[in-house]
Amino acid sequence: MAGMTSLMSRFKKNPCVPVIRLDGVIASGRGLGTPSLSDAGLADQIERAFSRKRVVAVALSINSPGGSPVQSSLIAARIRRLAAEKDVPVLAFCEDVAASGGYWLATAGDEIFIDPSSIVGSIGVISASFGLDEFIGRYGIERRVHTAGEDKSMLDPFRPERESDVTRLKALQKVIHDNFIAQVKSARGDKLADQDLFTGEIFVGQQAVDLGLVDGIGHLVPTLKERFGEDVKIIRQAAKRSLASRLGLPGAGSVIQTAEDRAAFARFGV
């Protein structure tokens, strides 16, 4: 009987936790190398994670300074929809940064864990550009723009900034900011501290725990083993690679994307 029990234990199916890697700037396009961090690029990976057998939870491994609010919303909504359909809890683990859209992704988790030095928050909306109208004027370059509709051209960097354009931009930003705030309040609820957390400020480690933006300090593997047992099977979902990436051809688009990603992370000192 003891031998039979030992034999059966060898074939015992261990609980499974797929890990979805959300690393990089959130954007809608695809580079020539790896797929962008977008809903379209992640859809298959997310669907496969929730469709595995013996899934006891899905983990999100997040390292993102943010990006597109629409893609952030779509990715988080897809995760929450599948979590509800499959009745599977989601645990989010933040690494260096989960700020702005990166924190939006983290709110897709039923629980959020961070490192003591992780940067989270930045619940706000930003738009940055350059004003080059004086520069081109200095070299005798004339900007010519013709539109049907007086508001068709907005914040053209080669023309003087118009106060009406700034007013329109701020109105658009407020709508997006309000949507972001609603997402955070819906996901975190009564866990949030009774203070204004939506100014765009960032928080580090225990600060974020104390304010209710995250649930605790914890790393992915030890937390999953503590929660689901030492025999839990942690499966890191692999994103489908493009043909150029498989052939080792990064291409100019990938190089530019890498530079942009590094610049985005640099805003948070990482």
Side-chain angles (χ1 to χ4, degrees):
M1 181 64 71
M4 179 62 70
T5 302
S6 177
L7 181 62
M8 291 177 63
S9 66
R10 291 175 57 188
F11 291 96
K12 181 181 178 181
K13 303 298 184 180
N14 297 330
C16 165
V17 178
V19 179
I20 301 170
R21 180 74 174 161
L22 302 174
D23 185 6
V25 174
I26 305 163
S28 59
R30 286 175 177 266
L32 297 180
T34 57
S36 64
L37 200 59
S38 66
D39 182 55
L42 290 165
D44 180 70
Q45 189 180 157
I46 295 172
E47 297 280 347
R48 284 187 287 116
F50 281 95
S51 298
R52 288 186 178 274
K53 295 181 179 179
R54 299 179 300 280
V55 172
V56 292
V58 168
L60 308 177
S61 178
I62 302 170
N63 197 21
S64 175
S68 164
V70 173
Q71 294 303 314
S72 301
S73 176
L74 290 173
I75 295 167
R78 182 182 295 276
I79 292 170
R80 291 313 312 164
R81 182 170 64 251
L82 287 168
E85 289 176 2
K86 305 291 186 178
D87 193 23
V88 172
V90 178
L91 306 180
F93 295 87
C94 305
E95 297 181 359
D96 301 87
V97 181
S100 195
Y103 181 68
W104 194 318
L105 297 183
T107 63
D110 295 289
E111 297 178 71
I112 306 173
F113 299 92
I114 61 174
D115 180 86
S117 298
S118 295
I119 296 172
V120 300
S122 189
I123 303 169
V125 182
I126 186 172
S127 176
S129 64
F130 296 94
L132 301 173
D133 55 298
E134 292 186 8
F135 175 81
I136 64 173
R138 188 177 305 133
Y139 290 93
I141 301 171
E142 181 184 359
R143 173 69 162 163
R144 296 173 180 174
V145 178
H146 306 280
T147 66
E150 60 182 282
D151 293 327
K152 184 64 177 177
S153 175
M154 184 176 80
L155 295 173
D156 187 326
F158 297 103
R159 303 174 74 181
E161 186 175 72
R162 298 186 304 178
E163 185 178 344
S164 59
D165 286 353
V166 176
T167 299
R168 289 172 61 202
L169 175 63
K170 288 186 176 294
L172 295 173
Q173 288 179 321
K174 185 180 185 306
V175 173
I176 298 171
H177 193 200
D178 288 345
N179 291 337
F180 196 171
I181 293 171
Q183 167 68 19
V184 175
K185 287 184 175 181
S186 174
R188 302 300 297 170
D190 295 337
K191 295 178 180 180
L192 295 173
D194 187 19
Q195 69 180 74
D196 189 0
L197 303 174
F198 311 121
T199 63
E201 185 177 356
I202 58 175
F203 307 94
V204 179
Q206 190 61 42
Q207 286 180 312
V209 178
D210 296 339
L211 293 171
L213 291 171
V214 303
D215 295 284
I217 304 294
H219 294 169
L220 191 147
V221 172
T223 299
L224 293 181
K225 286 188 174 184
E226 180 182 351
R227 184 72 59 91
F228 302 109
E230 288 292 327
D231 294 330
V232 64
K233 189 175 182 180
I234 300 173
I235 302 175
R236 299 185 184 273
Q237 294 288 132
K240 287 188 175 180
R241 300 168 62 196
S242 67
L243 176 60
S245 178
R246 292 197 299 270
L247 295 175
L249 303 173
S254 181
V255 173
I256 294 171
Q257 184 63 53
T258 298
E260 291 178 344
D261 285 7
R262 288 179 178 174
F265 275 105
R267 291 194 294 118
F268 300 98
V270 297

